[in-house]
Structures are given as C-alpha cells and as structure tokens.
C-alpha cells in the first residue's frame, strides 16, 4: 500500500506492480503546471513552433512534458476568463 505525500484533491497513492514482476511500487501523481497569460498567442512560444528562442524556460517545460494544442476560454476578455478558471463557474 502506501499513499503519496500531501497535496490537493482526493484519492491517494496506493500501490501497483512494476512490469508484472510482483514488486509493489508507489503510483506517481503527475505534476501539473497551469500558466495564465494575457495577450499571448501560440505562435509566441517556441514549444509551439516559434523560432528565435524568446521563451526558453517555457519551451523546456513543453519539451519535457505534454503540450496541449486545443483549448477553450469562457470569454474573449481576461477578467471573466480568469474568474471562470478560478471558480469553475461561467461569468
């Protein structure tokens, strides 16, 4: 058994088997990074194809993880979109 460390939401670690060898190994929770930026277009980031290296730190995060290419906003304006993102309700 054995759960993971603190953190948010419900659910907790648990155990699993590694490669079917019968050894228990703790399940790893994914790390999630959510970035909110105003007036930023996908074409402004190197992780999405921009040439010129203007965002090397953000690009390195994308290179090491998952990059999403489809998203929806609650509003074309920043304040209502942030409100919806932080509260889970639409403005």
């Amino acid at each position: 058994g054995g759960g993971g460390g603190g953190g948010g939401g419900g659910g907790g670690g648990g155990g699993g088997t590694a490669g079917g060898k019968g050894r228990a190994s703790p399940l790893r929770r994914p790390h999630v990074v959510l970035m909110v930026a105003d007036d930023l277009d996908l074409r402004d980031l190197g992780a999405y194809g921009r040439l010129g290296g203007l965002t090397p730190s953000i690009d390195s995060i994308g290179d090491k993880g998952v990059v999403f290419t489809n998203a929806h906003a609650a509003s074309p304006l920043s304040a209502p979109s942030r409100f919806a993102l932080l509260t889970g309700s639409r403005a």
Side-chain angles (χ1 to χ4, degrees), residues 12 36 47 54 56 72 83 87:
V36 180
L54 298 176
H72 302 277
F83 175 84
T87 65

Side-chain angles (χ1 to χ4, degrees), residues 29-89:
R29 292 183 178 180
H31 297 278
V32 177
V33 177
L34 175 65
M35 294 184 197
V36 180
D38 292 332
D39 299 323
L40 183 68
D41 191 274
L42 285 180
R43 294 170 293 217
D44 294 336
L45 301 173
Y48 292 95
R50 165 106 185 188
L51 300 177
L54 298 176
T55 56
S57 297
I58 295 173
D59 299 341
S60 69
I61 294 171
D63 291 342
K64 296 174 187 172
V66 177
V67 176
F68 294 98
T69 58
N70 188 9
H72 302 277
S75 172
L77 304 174
S78 65
S81 291
R82 288 175 188 263
F83 175 84
L85 181 67
L86 295 174
T87 65
S89 65

Side-chain angles (χ1 to χ4, degrees), residues 16-32:
T17 59
K21 296 181 182 181
R23 292 186 222 160
S25 65
L27 296 176
R28 296 178 62 187
R29 292 183 178 180
H31 297 278
V32 177

